[in-house]
Amino acid sequence: MNIGRKTRAARSPKWPAFLKRFLRGKVCAGCGRSDQLTGHHKLPYHLAPERELDETNLIPLCEGRSINCHLWLGHLGNWQSYNPTVDADAAYMQEKVRTRP
């Protein structure tokens, strides 16, 4: 693992099919939406390319216009960053949405 250094590893040709399978039947872990989903790498691809196809390193997050959990929960509002507590933060947000007044 190259923590602290970006790698320039090429994406696996298996990534598109893997992502499609991963997202099947899932909802956004943050807000519960089922549309505009992507798989967010908890440990970023550029830091751990060997975990690209590891389902335990992915969390489903949405990328909507008005709500973008991928940007805000996955990257803390900055695409150059990542959130090491994305699982806990998404679960917290999901509960807040579920119990909103």
PDB file of all heavy atoms in Angstrom, residues 5-27:
ATOM      1  N   ARG A   5       1.295   8.478  -1.086  1.00  0.00           N
ATOM      2  CA  ARG A   5       1.779   8.696  -2.454  1.00  0.00           C
ATOM      3  C   ARG A   5       0.727   8.220  -3.433  1.00  0.00           C
ATOM      4  O   ARG A   5       0.180   7.135  -3.299  1.00  0.00           O
ATOM      5  CB  ARG A   5       3.053   7.905  -2.710  1.00  0.00           C
ATOM      6  CG  ARG A   5       4.245   8.460  -2.022  1.00  0.00           C
ATOM      7  CD  ARG A   5       5.472   7.764  -2.510  1.00  0.00           C
ATOM      8  NE  ARG A   5       5.233   6.323  -2.564  1.00  0.00           N
ATOM      9  CZ  ARG A   5       6.158   5.416  -2.370  1.00  0.00           C
ATOM     10  NH1 ARG A   5       7.371   5.775  -2.108  1.00  0.00           N
ATOM     11  NH2 ARG A   5       5.877   4.141  -2.449  1.00  0.00           N
ATOM     12  N   LYS A   6       0.458   9.020  -4.423  1.00  0.00           N
ATOM     13  CA  LYS A   6      -0.485   8.630  -5.462  1.00  0.00           C
ATOM     14  C   LYS A   6       0.192   7.677  -6.434  1.00  0.00           C
ATOM     15  O   LYS A   6       1.350   7.869  -6.788  1.00  0.00           O
ATOM     16  CB  LYS A   6      -1.018   9.836  -6.218  1.00  0.00           C
ATOM     17  CG  LYS A   6      -1.976  10.657  -5.409  1.00  0.00           C
ATOM     18  CD  LYS A   6      -2.646  11.693  -6.259  1.00  0.00           C
ATOM     19  CE  LYS A   6      -3.653  12.434  -5.416  1.00  0.00           C
ATOM     20  NZ  LYS A   6      -4.495  13.302  -6.201  1.00  0.00           N
ATOM     21  N   THR A   7      -0.554   6.655  -6.851  1.00  0.00           N
ATOM     22  CA  THR A   7      -0.053   5.754  -7.874  1.00  0.00           C
ATOM     23  C   THR A   7      -0.801   6.054  -9.162  1.00  0.00           C
ATOM     24  O   THR A   7      -1.851   6.668  -9.158  1.00  0.00           O
ATOM     25  CB  THR A   7      -0.278   4.280  -7.480  1.00  0.00           C
ATOM     26  OG1 THR A   7      -1.673   4.052  -7.378  1.00  0.00           O
ATOM     27  CG2 THR A   7       0.405   3.939  -6.179  1.00  0.00           C
ATOM     28  N   ARG A   8      -0.264   5.603 -10.243  1.00  0.00           N
ATOM     29  CA  ARG A   8      -0.907   5.808 -11.533  1.00  0.00           C
ATOM     30  C   ARG A   8      -1.316   4.461 -12.130  1.00  0.00           C
ATOM     31  O   ARG A   8      -1.168   4.238 -13.311  1.00  0.00           O
ATOM     32  CB  ARG A   8       0.015   6.559 -12.470  1.00  0.00           C
ATOM     33  CG  ARG A   8       0.319   7.956 -11.980  1.00  0.00           C
ATOM     34  CD  ARG A   8       0.860   8.813 -13.091  1.00  0.00           C
ATOM     35  NE  ARG A   8       1.267  10.097 -12.584  1.00  0.00           N
ATOM     36  CZ  ARG A   8       0.488  11.171 -12.601  1.00  0.00           C
ATOM     37  NH1 ARG A   8      -0.719  11.107 -13.080  1.00  0.00           N
ATOM     38  NH2 ARG A   8       0.930  12.311 -12.132  1.00  0.00           N
ATOM     39  N   ALA A   9      -1.802   3.585 -11.295  1.00  0.00           N
ATOM     40  CA  ALA A   9      -2.222   2.264 -11.756  1.00  0.00           C
ATOM     41  C   ALA A   9      -3.437   2.385 -12.667  1.00  0.00           C
ATOM     42  O   ALA A   9      -4.318   3.205 -12.434  1.00  0.00           O
ATOM     43  CB  ALA A   9      -2.550   1.380 -10.560  1.00  0.00           C
ATOM     44  N   ALA A  10      -3.444   1.581 -13.706  1.00  0.00           N
ATOM     45  CA  ALA A  10      -4.573   1.573 -14.635  1.00  0.00           C
ATOM     46  C   ALA A  10      -5.731   0.816 -14.010  1.00  0.00           C
ATOM     47  O   ALA A  10      -5.537  -0.172 -13.297  1.00  0.00           O
ATOM     48  CB  ALA A  10      -4.163   0.901 -15.946  1.00  0.00           C
ATOM     49  N   ARG A  11      -6.939   1.293 -14.262  1.00  0.00           N
ATOM     50  CA  ARG A  11      -8.139   0.613 -13.778  1.00  0.00           C
ATOM     51  C   ARG A  11      -8.218  -0.779 -14.380  1.00  0.00           C
ATOM     52  O   ARG A  11      -7.857  -0.993 -15.531  1.00  0.00           O
ATOM     53  CB  ARG A  11      -9.398   1.389 -14.177  1.00  0.00           C
ATOM     54  CG  ARG A  11      -9.625   2.625 -13.375  1.00  0.00           C
ATOM     55  CD  ARG A  11     -10.275   2.271 -12.077  1.00  0.00           C
ATOM     56  NE  ARG A  11     -10.672   3.481 -11.378  1.00  0.00           N
ATOM     57  CZ  ARG A  11     -11.186   3.475 -10.182  1.00  0.00           C
ATOM     58  NH1 ARG A  11     -11.408   2.347  -9.561  1.00  0.00           N
ATOM     59  NH2 ARG A  11     -11.500   4.597  -9.598  1.00  0.00           N
ATOM     60  N   SER A  12      -8.729  -1.694 -13.584  1.00  0.00           N
ATOM     61  CA  SER A  12      -8.938  -3.054 -14.056  1.00  0.00           C
ATOM     62  C   SER A  12     -10.017  -3.066 -15.128  1.00  0.00           C
ATOM     63  O   SER A  12     -11.038  -2.380 -14.985  1.00  0.00           O
ATOM     64  CB  SER A  12      -9.374  -3.946 -12.889  1.00  0.00           C
ATOM     65  OG  SER A  12      -9.863  -5.172 -13.365  1.00  0.00           O
ATOM     66  N   PRO A  13      -9.867  -3.860 -16.171  1.00  0.00           N
ATOM     67  CA  PRO A  13     -10.933  -3.976 -17.168  1.00  0.00           C
ATOM     68  C   PRO A  13     -12.184  -4.628 -16.572  1.00  0.00           C
ATOM     69  O   PRO A  13     -13.265  -4.524 -17.137  1.00  0.00           O
ATOM     70  CB  PRO A  13     -10.318  -4.843 -18.267  1.00  0.00           C
ATOM     71  CG  PRO A  13      -9.123  -5.489 -17.663  1.00  0.00           C
ATOM     72  CD  PRO A  13      -8.681  -4.638 -16.512  1.00  0.00           C
ATOM     73  N   LYS A  14     -12.044  -5.250 -15.409  1.00  0.00           N
ATOM     74  CA  LYS A  14     -13.188  -5.872 -14.727  1.00  0.00           C
ATOM     75  C   LYS A  14     -14.011  -4.862 -13.929  1.00  0.00           C
ATOM     76  O   LYS A  14     -15.110  -5.179 -13.480  1.00  0.00           O
ATOM     77  CB  LYS A  14     -12.695  -6.971 -13.775  1.00  0.00           C
ATOM     78  CG  LYS A  14     -12.017  -8.113 -14.479  1.00  0.00           C
ATOM     79  CD  LYS A  14     -11.502  -9.122 -13.476  1.00  0.00           C
ATOM     80  CE  LYS A  14     -10.760 -10.246 -14.188  1.00  0.00           C
ATOM     81  NZ  LYS A  14     -10.219 -11.217 -13.228  1.00  0.00           N
ATOM     82  N   TRP A  15     -13.498  -3.636 -13.725  1.00  0.00           N
ATOM     83  CA  TRP A  15     -14.154  -2.643 -12.880  1.00  0.00           C
ATOM     84  C   TRP A  15     -15.594  -2.343 -13.306  1.00  0.00           C
ATOM     85  O   TRP A  15     -16.490  -2.368 -12.447  1.00  0.00           O
ATOM     86  CB  TRP A  15     -13.317  -1.372 -12.791  1.00  0.00           C
ATOM     87  CG  TRP A  15     -14.031  -0.233 -12.115  1.00  0.00           C
ATOM     88  CD1 TRP A  15     -14.439   0.921 -12.687  1.00  0.00           C
ATOM     89  CD2 TRP A  15     -14.439  -0.169 -10.739  1.00  0.00           C
ATOM     90  NE1 TRP A  15     -15.074   1.719 -11.761  1.00  0.00           N
ATOM     91  CE2 TRP A  15     -15.089   1.068 -10.562  1.00  0.00           C
ATOM     92  CE3 TRP A  15     -14.332  -1.026  -9.654  1.00  0.00           C
ATOM     93  CZ2 TRP A  15     -15.617   1.472  -9.333  1.00  0.00           C
ATOM     94  CZ3 TRP A  15     -14.862  -0.627  -8.431  1.00  0.00           C
ATOM     95  CH2 TRP A  15     -15.491   0.615  -8.284  1.00  0.00           C
ATOM     96  N   PRO A  16     -15.908  -2.025 -14.559  1.00  0.00           N
ATOM     97  CA  PRO A  16     -17.290  -1.677 -14.910  1.00  0.00           C
ATOM     98  C   PRO A  16     -18.297  -2.779 -14.553  1.00  0.00           C
ATOM     99  O   PRO A  16     -19.351  -2.494 -13.964  1.00  0.00           O
ATOM    100  CB  PRO A  16     -17.237  -1.426 -16.418  1.00  0.00           C
ATOM    101  CG  PRO A  16     -15.817  -1.040 -16.685  1.00  0.00           C
ATOM    102  CD  PRO A  16     -15.013  -1.869 -15.723  1.00  0.00           C
ATOM    103  N   ALA A  17     -18.003  -4.026 -14.891  1.00  0.00           N
ATOM    104  CA  ALA A  17     -18.928  -5.129 -14.584  1.00  0.00           C
ATOM    105  C   ALA A  17     -18.991  -5.369 -13.078  1.00  0.00           C
ATOM    106  O   ALA A  17     -20.063  -5.642 -12.526  1.00  0.00           O
ATOM    107  CB  ALA A  17     -18.495  -6.403 -15.310  1.00  0.00           C
ATOM    108  N   PHE A  18     -17.847  -5.270 -12.412  1.00  0.00           N
ATOM    109  CA  PHE A  18     -17.804  -5.443 -10.964  1.00  0.00           C
ATOM    110  C   PHE A  18     -18.672  -4.398 -10.270  1.00  0.00           C
ATOM    111  O   PHE A  18     -19.465  -4.716  -9.376  1.00  0.00           O
ATOM    112  CB  PHE A  18     -16.351  -5.333 -10.480  1.00  0.00           C
ATOM    113  CG  PHE A  18     -16.197  -5.372  -8.996  1.00  0.00           C
ATOM    114  CD1 PHE A  18     -16.158  -6.583  -8.323  1.00  0.00           C
ATOM    115  CD2 PHE A  18     -16.092  -4.203  -8.260  1.00  0.00           C
ATOM    116  CE1 PHE A  18     -16.017  -6.620  -6.944  1.00  0.00           C
ATOM    117  CE2 PHE A  18     -15.954  -4.231  -6.894  1.00  0.00           C
ATOM    118  CZ  PHE A  18     -15.915  -5.444  -6.231  1.00  0.00           C
ATOM    119  N   LEU A  19     -18.550  -3.148 -10.681  1.00  0.00           N
ATOM    120  CA  LEU A  19     -19.330  -2.067 -10.089  1.00  0.00           C
ATOM    121  C   LEU A  19     -20.824  -2.279 -10.319  1.00  0.00           C
ATOM    122  O   LEU A  19     -21.633  -2.108  -9.402  1.00  0.00           O
ATOM    123  CB  LEU A  19     -18.895  -0.716 -10.655  1.00  0.00           C
ATOM    124  CG  LEU A  19     -19.636   0.505 -10.114  1.00  0.00           C
ATOM    125  CD1 LEU A  19     -19.447   0.627  -8.605  1.00  0.00           C
ATOM    126  CD2 LEU A  19     -19.160   1.760 -10.826  1.00  0.00           C
ATOM    127  N   LYS A  20     -21.189  -2.668 -11.521  1.00  0.00           N
ATOM    128  CA  LYS A  20     -22.595  -2.918 -11.834  1.00  0.00           C
ATOM    129  C   LYS A  20     -23.173  -4.000 -10.920  1.00  0.00           C
ATOM    130  O   LYS A  20     -24.266  -3.851 -10.378  1.00  0.00           O
ATOM    131  CB  LYS A  20     -22.740  -3.317 -13.303  1.00  0.00           C
ATOM    132  CG  LYS A  20     -24.158  -3.439 -13.763  1.00  0.00           C
ATOM    133  CD  LYS A  20     -24.212  -3.718 -15.253  1.00  0.00           C
ATOM    134  CE  LYS A  20     -25.649  -3.842 -15.709  1.00  0.00           C
ATOM    135  NZ  LYS A  20     -25.747  -4.048 -17.140  1.00  0.00           N
ATOM    136  N   ARG A  21     -22.430  -5.086 -10.748  1.00  0.00           N
ATOM    137  CA  ARG A  21     -22.875  -6.165  -9.845  1.00  0.00           C
ATOM    138  C   ARG A  21     -22.948  -5.672  -8.401  1.00  0.00           C
ATOM    139  O   ARG A  21     -23.889  -5.983  -7.685  1.00  0.00           O
ATOM    140  CB  ARG A  21     -21.925  -7.362  -9.925  1.00  0.00           C
ATOM    141  CG  ARG A  21     -22.199  -8.296 -11.062  1.00  0.00           C
ATOM    142  CD  ARG A  21     -21.405  -9.599 -10.949  1.00  0.00           C
ATOM    143  NE  ARG A  21     -19.993  -9.439 -10.646  1.00  0.00           N
ATOM    144  CZ  ARG A  21     -19.045  -9.195 -11.545  1.00  0.00           C
ATOM    145  NH1 ARG A  21     -19.354  -9.089 -12.827  1.00  0.00           N
ATOM    146  NH2 ARG A  21     -17.783  -9.066 -11.178  1.00  0.00           N
ATOM    147  N   PHE A  22     -21.954  -4.919  -7.979  1.00  0.00           N
ATOM    148  CA  PHE A  22     -21.917  -4.417  -6.608  1.00  0.00           C
ATOM    149  C   PHE A  22     -23.142  -3.552  -6.306  1.00  0.00           C
ATOM    150  O   PHE A  22     -23.722  -3.641  -5.227  1.00  0.00           O
ATOM    151  CB  PHE A  22     -20.635  -3.614  -6.356  1.00  0.00           C
ATOM    152  CG  PHE A  22     -20.623  -2.916  -5.027  1.00  0.00           C
ATOM    153  CD1 PHE A  22     -20.377  -3.628  -3.863  1.00  0.00           C
ATOM    154  CD2 PHE A  22     -20.871  -1.555  -4.932  1.00  0.00           C
ATOM    155  CE1 PHE A  22     -20.386  -2.981  -2.619  1.00  0.00           C
ATOM    156  CE2 PHE A  22     -20.880  -0.907  -3.704  1.00  0.00           C
ATOM    157  CZ  PHE A  22     -20.638  -1.624  -2.544  1.00  0.00           C
ATOM    158  N   LEU A  23     -23.529  -2.711  -7.249  1.00  0.00           N
ATOM    159  CA  LEU A  23     -24.625  -1.769  -7.011  1.00  0.00           C
ATOM    160  C   LEU A  23     -26.013  -2.393  -7.147  1.00  0.00           C
ATOM    161  O   LEU A  23     -26.987  -1.813  -6.659  1.00  0.00           O
ATOM    162  CB  LEU A  23     -24.497  -0.575  -7.969  1.00  0.00           C
ATOM    163  CG  LEU A  23     -23.286   0.324  -7.730  1.00  0.00           C
ATOM    164  CD1 LEU A  23     -23.203   1.381  -8.821  1.00  0.00           C
ATOM    165  CD2 LEU A  23     -23.336   0.957  -6.349  1.00  0.00           C
ATOM    166  N   ARG A  24     -26.111  -3.546  -7.754  1.00  0.00           N
ATOM    167  CA  ARG A  24     -27.403  -4.193  -7.977  1.00  0.00           C
ATOM    168  C   ARG A  24     -28.150  -4.362  -6.647  1.00  0.00           C
ATOM    169  O   ARG A  24     -27.652  -4.952  -5.715  1.00  0.00           O
ATOM    170  CB  ARG A  24     -27.228  -5.538  -8.653  1.00  0.00           C
ATOM    171  CG  ARG A  24     -28.527  -6.142  -9.151  1.00  0.00           C
ATOM    172  CD  ARG A  24     -28.315  -7.393  -9.969  1.00  0.00           C
ATOM    173  NE  ARG A  24     -27.543  -7.095 -11.163  1.00  0.00           N
ATOM    174  CZ  ARG A  24     -26.489  -7.778 -11.579  1.00  0.00           C
ATOM    175  NH1 ARG A  24     -26.081  -8.832 -10.915  1.00  0.00           N
ATOM    176  NH2 ARG A  24     -25.843  -7.429 -12.667  1.00  0.00           N
ATOM    177  N   GLY A  25     -29.365  -3.784  -6.591  1.00  0.00           N
ATOM    178  CA  GLY A  25     -30.221  -3.912  -5.416  1.00  0.00           C
ATOM    179  C   GLY A  25     -29.837  -3.046  -4.228  1.00  0.00           C
ATOM    180  O   GLY A  25     -30.447  -3.128  -3.176  1.00  0.00           O
ATOM    181  N   LYS A  26     -28.840  -2.199  -4.385  1.00  0.00           N
ATOM    182  CA  LYS A  26     -28.379  -1.368  -3.269  1.00  0.00           C
ATOM    183  C   LYS A  26     -29.012   0.017  -3.311  1.00  0.00           C
ATOM    184  O   LYS A  26     -29.552   0.450  -4.331  1.00  0.00           O
ATOM    185  CB  LYS A  26     -26.859  -1.251  -3.305  1.00  0.00           C
ATOM    186  CG  LYS A  26     -26.165  -2.583  -3.042  1.00  0.00           C
ATOM    187  CD  LYS A  26     -24.792  -2.375  -2.518  1.00  0.00           C
ATOM    188  CE  LYS A  26     -24.080  -3.613  -2.057  1.00  0.00           C
ATOM    189  NZ  LYS A  26     -24.119  -4.770  -2.904  1.00  0.00           N
ATOM    190  N   VAL A  27     -28.926   0.717  -2.199  1.00  0.00           N
ATOM    191  CA  VAL A  27     -29.339   2.111  -2.076  1.00  0.00           C
ATOM    192  C   VAL A  27     -28.166   2.893  -1.503  1.00  0.00           C
ATOM    193  O   VAL A  27     -27.218   2.312  -0.953  1.00  0.00           O
ATOM    194  CB  VAL A  27     -30.591   2.280  -1.179  1.00  0.00           C
ATOM    195  CG1 VAL A  27     -31.789   1.550  -1.766  1.00  0.00           C
ATOM    196  CG2 VAL A  27     -30.317   1.823   0.239  1.00  0.00           C
TER     197      VAL A  27
END
